[in-house]
Amino acid sequence: DEIAKENRHDIVYDFNCSGCSSRYIGESGRRYAKRLHEHLASDKKSHIYKHVAASGHTIGEENFKIIGYRDTFFYDIARLN
């Protein structure tokens, strides 16, 4: 069975701010939904949280996408080099 996106963990994700050209690529062992919530609401050390607080830009889940999974993403990059 396919695991729902919000329940996936060991992810590599891409953030693109809709208010400017800021971009952030991150990775997390936590569930995707949990990490997004942290960036959006609770992790005051998060670069994304700090960006939104300083800029006043409005962001949401649509600004994030999973671009890989830690178990294969870094292997795939290393293979390309």
Side-chain angles (χ1 to χ4, degrees):
D1 289 336
E2 181 76 20
I3 297 172
K5 178 175 80 170
E6 62 273 3
N7 291 325
R8 295 294 305 248
H9 58 85
D10 294 323
I11 56 168
V12 180
Y13 58 93
D14 185 19
F15 163 79
N16 287 285
C17 181
S18 52
C20 66
S21 61
S22 291
R23 185 173 185 198
Y24 176 83
I25 296 177
E27 54 90 19
S28 179
R30 291 190 292 287
R31 287 185 318 109
Y32 181 61
K34 171 93 172 138
R35 189 62 187 131
L36 259 58
H37 174 74
E38 291 169 348
H39 279 307
L40 297 171
S42 65
D43 184 358
K44 293 180 175 46
K45 294 180 183 176
S46 157
H47 292 289
I48 296 169
Y49 183 92
K50 289 177 184 178
H51 172 74
V52 171
S55 68
H57 296 157
T58 301
I59 64 167
E61 186 176 337
E62 67 276 2
N63 296 97
F64 295 84
K65 71 177 177 178
I66 295 174
I67 58 173
Y69 300 94
R70 289 196 319 187
D71 57 342
T72 60
F73 185 80
F74 296 108
Y75 171 77
D76 291 343
I77 288 176
R79 224 175 30 160
L80 293 173
N81 292 322

